[in-house]
Each structure stands twice: as C-alpha cells, then as structure tokens.
Amino acid sequence: MTFLFVQPIPLLFFGGLALSLIGLLALRHSSGPRSGTSSGEPATTDLQELTFEGGMLVDACPRARAALSHEDLEDGPLTRLSERLADIFPGFTHSFAAAQSENARFELSDVTTDGPISVKVDCQPNRTQFAVTGLPHLLARKVLVDRAVTDANERELTVLRNTVSTSPAVIWRESSMGEIDWVNSAYLELAEGVDPDDNTLWPPKRLFDGASITPPGETPHARRAPLTLQDGTTRWFDITSHGHGNTTLHYACDSSKTVQAEETLRNFMQTLTQTFAALPVGLAIFDRSRQLQLFNPALMELTTLEPEWLAARPTLYDVINRMREKRMLPERKDFKDWRRKLVELENSAVNGTYLETWVLPTGQTYKVTGRPHPEGAVAFLIEDISAEISLTRKFRRELEVSQSLLDNLPQAIAVFDAAGNLTLSNEAYCTLWGTDPELVLQQTNIVEASSHWQAKSLPTPLWGDVREFVCHAGERAEWHGSADLEDGRQLACQFMPLAGGATLVSFEEPDGVSDPLPELTRLTT
C-alpha cells in the first residue's frame, strides 16, 4: 500500500528544533541502539518514548523518531507534546506542573473512540521522560493517508468543481456579516451583463437583495426577483437560500420564460373573461374536483347567485343546491329523484350529451347544456330561452289559426315554397286529391304533386306549365286554367305567385268559382 503525507499548514523551519535534532542524532550515535522502552518493560507496538533535557529533545524511540522526521514544529516538541496531551487529558497540565516541581512520576489513562490511551511521565532534575501508548501520531500535524483514498477525493473534488462551474443556476455564498465570499461562473457572467464597466476584482457586485434563509432540514421556499441588465432587458429569477453554519448559500434559477408564460396566460384569461362578460349566456366551468373555476356575469343574473359566494369557488353540488333553494331549478317530486337527476346531470355533462330544458317555477325557461373539457373539467351553459319559447308558442297559435281558416275555405289550396316543396294545404285539398295531410307536408314536392294530379285527370298540358311556373325564379304573373278529372268533374285552377318565391295553387269546381279572398292571400304570404 502506498501512503503520502498531507500538509495542511505551511512549512516553517526553526533553529531550536534543528539544534534538538542534531543533539539527538549525536547522542544516538554515541550511545548506540536503545531498546523499545526505558524501564526494561516489554516493547509495545504503539508505545512512543521521548526524553527531554532542559526542554530540548535528546532521545526518542524509533516510532517517535519516524514521526518527528516528517514534522516542522514551530513551537518545539515539548510544547507541542504538552498541548496534545492536555487536549486528551483535562488534568494533564496540573499533574505535569506538580511532577516537575516535586521531581515525581504520574500516569494518566482514558478510553476514546479510537481505543485506550495512556501516558506515563517521569520528571527528574533537568530530565523528563514520556511514555505514551494508544496515540499513533503523537506530535504529527501531518496525517498519513492512503493514496487511493486521496485520489478518489481528488476526483470527487474535480467533479464537484466542474458541476458548480458549468451549472446554469447562479450560486453564491455570503458570510454571517453579509459579505460575498464565493460565487460560481454563472454569477460572474450575470454580473458582467449587469455592469460590464465594473472593474472590481473582489468581492463581486451584489445582484440580489437578501432573502429569508431556510434552516437545514426544512422545506425551502423560493422568492421571485427581477434583475435589469445593461441593455434594458429584465430577467426574473427564483431565489432559494439555505443556511449552513455561519454562511448562507443562495441559488438563483432563471424563471424569465415562466414569468412570460404566466403573463401570457394572464392576458389570455383577461381577454377570455372580457369576452365571456359580454355573453348573454351564463357560463360556469368546474374543474375535475367539481369546484367552480370560472363564471361570467350572465350566470349571476340567470341564477341570482351572489358574486361573493361564487368567487369562493363552491362545488357543483353546492351551486345546484343553492339554486334549488332560490327556486331557480325545475320542481322535483322528491329528494331522491333530485339526487338521481343531479348524478345524471354530471355524468351526461362529462360525456358531452347533457342538454335539457328547465321550466322554472317563476315561469322562465332555461336551456342548459353540459360540455366536457380537458383534464376532466366540465362546462355548463345556461341560456334564457323564455322569449323564444313565447315567440314559438305565439307563432304556433297563429299557424293553428291560419290552418283552421284554410280548412274552412271551400277551395282546395296548396302552397309551394321557392324550391317547389309543398309547405301548406287544407282539408279540401286532401279530400279532392285523396292524400294524407301528414304525408303531404312531409315529403311532397311540385313534381310529385303534379304527377298525382295528372294521374287523376284527363290528359292536359296544364300540369307541365304548373311545374315550370312553380320552379321559375324570375318575374311571374297570376294565371288561370282548367282541368277535367277522370270522374267527369271539371276543375277551375288558379296559380298565384307569393312573396319569397312561393306559389299558391287553388282548385275549385265551376259552380263556386270565385277569386281567393284577400285575407287568404295575406295569411299565405
């Protein structure tokens, strides 16, 4: 195994130590080899013996001498040995002073994590002997280290240095006095971008103000801070500070793109909110946990829910229950039926199939639509269709009145639209031509109708002219004609253009020939 010595402090050479070593070598040369102990006791593998005269080292065992050969003790071997033993044995200083004054002996021992340690000191006039056991490096300030361990540490140190140097995060350390005592390359590059004309070598320019420090073991909390460069651009950083003893380590990660994305999203949401605010349709968007995330003013107007309550982000169930309390929901037979309808509402909205018309106790009619959104969200659209329903009902009543009026006329009447489809007929028409009223309105056009008329009458070019008249897109004028049925009856026919390209066709037997009533013309138009 290869060993090397690591020197943590500068090497200093002092004349007192050099003279001590010269005297030691001369004494050893004159007295010859010594045994491992000075008292005739058996040798111990970790026993180290040293002899001092007048504070000068005059003798040492081979083990102690080997350790001393690698040391440059600035304060002398005796002083260094006394300090080392005083660190291990709290009562050494007092015992050593007493032994020196009384020319006595004493012995101290203790058990440490490295094993038992003992020291025997024999103080004589102008001569002191030490015998220490269990302390491998008695005076050494150099540490004997395995070269393989040192190489591994060097490799790890190189990796750590490269990692910190190439890190995109800005890292710096501050002392307890708030002074910057270390930075990485990213910090220096950022400082150069902030003030390229700063020629201060050290400490570098402070870029960020202080932040709250995260003690060891706690979850770090980042704060966001802006930094303006010399070119006028502003960059944002998320700063996290960790406390380590008397120093603080700061990490600043560039969050400019995140801030830009958040600003874009904020502007989009504002635009979206302004757009939704102008919609007459109530909008409510619930997230996957069915909490309200977005709503517009129309929702408040239609549901009479308070904006403060909606801003608290209630759940879908809370919104439905609150609307039920305010009588803004259709009446249900019982609570169980209501709960079942509520579950169906949510499930069908998730599937995108919820579409229902709510007739409220107040007389209003709402059209409610459910639409699924990404990530499990659901959107509900509430539209007040009371006016449309009222208009539809009014129009239906007018149609019923018009149909009743047509059915009471003696003439057989049929109305075709601009595309030639039959849109209106009366009972006299169905009786004359033997057709089903429902089928007539559903699937009959002028070609089919005229073919049916032709089949029940004697040959005549009248029906071909009718087809051309109904399908003609230009200017048209009212005209009359006649046709003979197979049963011998004669029909007086009248063809009148109506507004929008429509055409009115009337059939009547000659005995009751008369012009269509003006009221009939108004209704059909």
Side-chain angles (χ1 to χ4, degrees):
M1 181 178 294
T2 304
F3 294 91
L4 57 88
F5 290 92
V6 178
Q7 175 65 31
I9 60 176
L11 297 178
L12 301 176
F13 297 89
F14 290 86
L17 178 58
L19 293 176
S20 299
L21 293 177
I22 292 173
L24 174 61
L25 294 176
L27 178 62
R28 296 298 293 173
H29 179 73
S30 62
S31 60
R34 289 174 53 88
S35 63
T37 63
S38 60
S39 59
E41 297 176 358
T44 307
T45 55
D46 59 353
L47 175 64
Q48 300 184 60
E49 293 180 325
L50 300 96
T51 302
F52 296 88
E53 290 183 359
M56 302 293 292
L57 180 64
V58 296
D59 194 9
C61 68
R63 186 178 182 85
R65 191 166 59 250
L68 288 172
S69 64
H70 298 286
E71 291 297 326
D72 295 303
L73 303 178
E74 57 186 65
D75 47 6
L78 181 58
T79 303
R80 176 59 183 155
L81 178 61
S82 300
E83 292 176 353
R84 183 72 182 276
L85 294 176
D87 292 339
I88 300 174
F89 303 102
F92 174 79
T93 302
H94 180 269
S95 300
F96 185 45
Q100 284 181 322
S101 62
E102 299 175 1
N103 295 325
R105 299 180 180 180
F106 71 93
E107 180 177 353
L108 298 174
S109 61
D110 195 2
V111 177
T112 65
T113 56
D114 296 329
I117 299 176
S118 64
V119 57
K120 296 178 183 180
V121 182
D122 183 5
C123 296
Q124 301 174 7
N126 296 326
R127 187 181 181 88
T128 304
Q129 291 182 331
F130 290 84
V132 184
T133 305
L135 199 59
H137 309 291
L138 184 59
L139 301 178
R141 290 188 178 180
K142 298 176 180 178
V143 181
L144 198 61
V145 182
D146 189 349
R147 180 177 293 275
V149 175
T150 305
D151 293 341
N153 291 336
E154 288 291 342
R155 289 193 296 269
E156 182 179 4
L157 180 59
T158 301
V159 171
L160 293 177
R161 286 175 175 171
N162 293 335
T163 301
V164 173
S165 178
T166 59
S167 173
V170 177
I171 308 174
W172 73 99
R173 190 179 68 179
E174 295 182 10
S175 65
S176 58
M177 303 299 294
E179 298 177 350
I180 298 178
D181 57 9
W182 178 87
V183 298
N184 69 339
S185 301
Y187 188 98
L188 296 177
E189 293 177 2
L190 186 60
E192 179 71 16
V194 173
D195 189 2
D197 299 329
D198 186 8
N199 297 323
T200 304
L201 297 179
W202 195 263
K205 179 182 180 65
R206 177 180 292 276
L207 302 179
F208 303 97
D209 296 331
S212 58
I213 301 174
T214 302
E218 294 188 6
T219 303
H221 299 282
R223 70 180 183 93
R224 184 163 291 174
L227 184 66
T228 303
L229 304 183
Q230 189 188 39
D231 58 4
T233 59
T234 300
R235 295 175 60 183
W236 288 84
F237 293 86
D238 290 334
I239 304 175
T240 306
S241 303
H242 298 266
H244 297 277
N246 295 328
T247 62
T248 304
L249 201 58
H250 302 274
Y251 300 87
C253 298
D254 193 344
S255 58
S256 301
K257 293 184 178 180
T258 303
V259 173
Q260 183 179 2
E262 292 175 353
E263 183 67 21
T264 303
L265 179 60
R266 191 180 301 111
N267 294 336
F268 173 74
M269 291 299 296
Q270 291 178 355
T271 303
L272 202 62
T273 302
Q274 294 173 359
T275 303
F276 289 157
L279 290 178
V281 179
L283 174 66
I285 298 180
F286 298 85
D287 59 15
R288 63 186 310 169
S289 61
R290 297 300 175 263
Q291 276 192 314
L292 182 63
Q293 297 295 327
L294 184 65
F295 63 93
N296 65 343
L299 181 70
M300 298 183 293
E301 297 177 2
L302 294 175
T303 61
T304 68
L305 296 177
E306 300 80 3
E308 297 82 5
W309 187 81
L310 292 173
R313 295 186 176 182
T315 63
L316 173 61
Y317 293 94
D318 294 336
V319 171
I320 296 299
N321 289 332
R322 192 68 170 263
M323 292 177 62
R324 183 168 179 257
E325 294 174 1
K326 290 179 173 291
R327 297 175 58 83
M328 299 304 297
L329 290 176
E331 292 292 342
R332 303 295 180 183
K333 295 181 180 179
D334 52 26
F335 186 74
K336 291 182 178 180
D337 178 65
W338 167 249
R339 297 295 295 182
R340 182 179 60 82
K341 288 290 184 181
L342 186 59
V343 174
E344 292 178 357
L345 180 148
E346 180 179 356
N347 294 338
S348 57
V350 171
N351 297 331
T353 58
Y354 184 78
L355 178 60
E356 187 173 334
T357 301
W358 290 357
V359 180
L360 307 184
T362 58
Q364 295 174 286
T365 303
Y366 286 174
K367 176 184 176 183
V368 183
T369 307
R371 291 287 183 268
H373 277 244
E375 302 298 332
V378 174
F380 287 95
L381 302 175
I382 301 178
E383 183 179 1
D384 188 356
I385 58 173
S386 302
E388 297 179 11
I389 294 298
S390 176
L391 182 62
T392 301
R393 291 173 180 173
K394 180 180 179 180
F395 183 67
R396 186 179 294 113
R397 287 195 299 269
E398 291 181 354
L399 287 179
E400 291 175 354
V401 172
S402 300
Q403 186 67 45
S404 176
L405 176 61
L406 291 175
D407 290 340
N408 289 315
L409 291 176
Q411 298 95 343
I413 296 176
V415 179
F416 296 87
D417 60 16
N421 297 317
L422 180 63
T423 59
L424 191 65
S425 64
N426 63 351
E427 290 183 0
Y429 176 86
C430 297
T431 302
L432 174 64
W433 298 110
T435 58
D436 186 351
E438 295 295 331
L439 294 178
V440 166
L441 294 179
Q442 288 181 3
Q443 57 183 10
T444 302
N445 55 36
I446 184 60
V447 176
E448 296 172 348
S450 60
S451 299
H452 182 72
W453 302 337
Q454 185 174 358
K456 289 184 173 292
S457 61
L458 298 177
T460 176
L462 178 67
W463 308 126
D465 297 337
V466 170
R467 285 193 288 268
E468 294 181 1
F469 180 77
V470 170
C471 297
H472 184 70
E475 292 290 337
R476 298 179 300 169
E478 178 182 351
W479 60 287
H480 299 266
S482 63
D484 296 327
L485 300 181
E486 291 182 342
D487 58 3
R489 289 180 298 168
Q490 185 180 14
L491 293 178
C493 305
Q494 184 178 5
F495 309 100
M496 180 185 303
L498 302 178
T503 304
L504 182 146
V505 179
S506 67
F507 305 95
E508 188 175 11
E509 295 184 20
D511 294 340
V513 172
S514 63
D515 292 336
L517 297 176
E519 178 67 17
L520 174 62
T521 305
R522 186 189 68 82
L523 290 176
T524 53
T525 55

